[in-house]
Amino acid sequence: MVMALNHLNLLRPLLCQSLVRQLRTPLVASSRVAAPPLYPSTTCYPTACTRLYATKKAKAKAKSQPAKVNINATLVEDIISLEEVEEEMSAVLNALKDDFTRNLSIRTSPGALDHIVVTTQDGKFPLNQLGQVSMKSPQLIIVNMSSFPEATAAAACALRENSMNLNPEVDGTIIKVPVPKVTREHRENLTKLAKQMSNKAKDSLRRVRANAVTQLKKAKEGHSEDTIRLVEKQIQQMSDNVTVDIDKHLAAKTKELLG
């Protein structure tokens, strides 16, 4: 009896291990998936499958963005010159950049007056071609008009009407231009002016696009509707690209002005 108990005690750990394995086996077996009939000898294990669903926001964004169009200009040159349309749109952007440089400067240096144009009886001339511009002090710019004394009054008028908030003083053929302190209010006023300029540029851009579309519709006869529609999309795409550039230049100029 004692020997039997001793054997039982020795076998108990082995029996426990066997029982544990039997209990775990169904869990493993249950994780297996029966093989498809075409592959009877194969045991398959399920894998985690993740399906990526586009969010509503992503779907709306994708829907709002039209497909890119890239038409060879030479193929539709008998309908409209896309190169000329692109040049006109680029001219609008270049004019805006020039306006930004000429009229939205807060630099206190002689070069800050280079863009000022003086209207005389003989035509329009840059200020630095009529007078000698120099910096007498950080607070004062001197314009010597002795080479063209007859243009002194016109030069003073051009300085006064410029958006740089200048108040020139005329002393014979010498124009004294006090450099105004750049206040926060002045900076904010310049940013508003920049916004107005960019809006005018967008209006000009819309006119260029509208004229191109009108020209396109006049050439409708003799061409398929699909071709006309693609060219119109191309024109709209060109306009959208320039609009993005206008916004970029406005953002950069606003950052520059606000400091």
Side-chain angles (χ1 to χ4, degrees):
M1 183 69 179
V2 174
M3 291 180 65
L5 289 173
N6 289 335
H7 282 298
L8 183 59
N9 289 333
L10 292 172
L11 292 174
R12 183 173 296 167
L14 297 176
L15 291 172
C16 291
Q17 293 177 7
S18 177
L19 180 61
V20 169
R21 282 196 295 271
Q22 290 179 6
L23 290 173
R24 289 179 177 175
T25 300
L27 296 176
V28 175
S30 64
S31 65
R32 298 181 180 180
V33 179
L38 295 177
Y39 305 96
S41 62
T42 306
T43 302
C44 301
Y45 293 90
T47 57
C49 297
T50 303
R51 183 176 180 182
L52 299 177
Y53 291 92
T55 62
K56 291 183 179 179
K57 186 176 181 180
K59 287 181 179 179
K61 184 177 180 181
K63 188 176 181 180
S64 63
Q65 293 180 346
K68 295 292 183 181
V69 181
N70 189 13
I71 299 176
N72 190 332
T74 57
L75 298 178
V76 294
E77 59 184 4
D78 60 326
I79 304 176
I80 190 172
S81 175
L82 291 177
E83 292 182 354
E84 290 183 3
V85 175
E86 186 175 12
E87 288 177 0
E88 290 181 15
M89 291 184 176
S90 297
V92 172
L93 178 62
N94 292 333
L96 175 66
K97 291 159 66 176
D98 188 54
D99 282 343
F100 279 177
T101 302
R102 288 176 177 274
N103 301 309
L104 300 178
S105 177
I106 57 175
R107 295 173 296 173
T108 55
S109 65
L113 305 182
D114 288 348
H115 66 277
I116 294 178
V117 177
V118 180
T119 302
T120 68
Q121 293 179 349
D122 297 324
K124 296 182 179 181
F125 303 92
L127 177 64
N128 58 2
Q129 290 185 10
L130 298 177
Q132 183 179 359
V133 184
S134 61
M135 200 89 181
K136 188 170 184 179
S137 70
Q139 291 78 34
L140 184 63
I141 298 176
I142 298 295
V143 183
N144 189 338
M145 298 293 297
S146 56
S147 298
F148 296 92
E150 66 278 8
T152 302
C157 181
L159 287 165
R160 191 174 293 108
E161 293 178 353
N162 189 268
S163 62
M164 294 175 66
N165 195 28
L166 302 176
N167 188 24
E169 301 173 1
V170 179
D171 183 9
T173 58
I174 300 297
I175 302 176
K176 299 178 181 179
V177 186
V179 177
K181 184 179 179 180
V182 183
T183 62
R184 186 69 183 179
E185 181 182 3
H186 181 54
R187 289 177 181 270
E188 290 175 352
N189 288 335
L190 289 179
T191 60
K192 292 177 182 178
L193 186 58
K195 179 68 174 177
Q196 293 174 5
M197 290 179 177
S198 65
N199 287 338
K200 288 182 179 179
K202 288 181 180 180
D203 290 339
S204 299
L205 183 63
R206 281 190 285 269
R207 284 194 293 271
V208 172
R209 185 193 64 79
N211 291 337
V213 172
T214 300
Q215 180 183 347
L216 181 64
K217 290 181 178 179
K218 288 181 179 178
K220 230 174 182 181
E221 295 182 3
H223 301 280
S224 67
E225 292 184 2
D226 289 341
T227 300
I228 298 297
R229 193 180 301 111
L230 284 175
V231 176
E232 187 172 353
K233 285 183 178 180
Q234 177 78 52
I235 294 172
Q236 182 62 54
Q237 184 174 292
M238 292 161 59
S239 177
D240 292 342
N241 291 339
V242 177
T243 300
V244 170
D245 288 338
I246 289 175
D247 290 336
K248 286 181 179 178
H249 281 87
L250 174 61
K253 194 65 181 181
T254 300
K255 184 178 179 181
E256 174 193 331
L257 292 172
L258 293 178

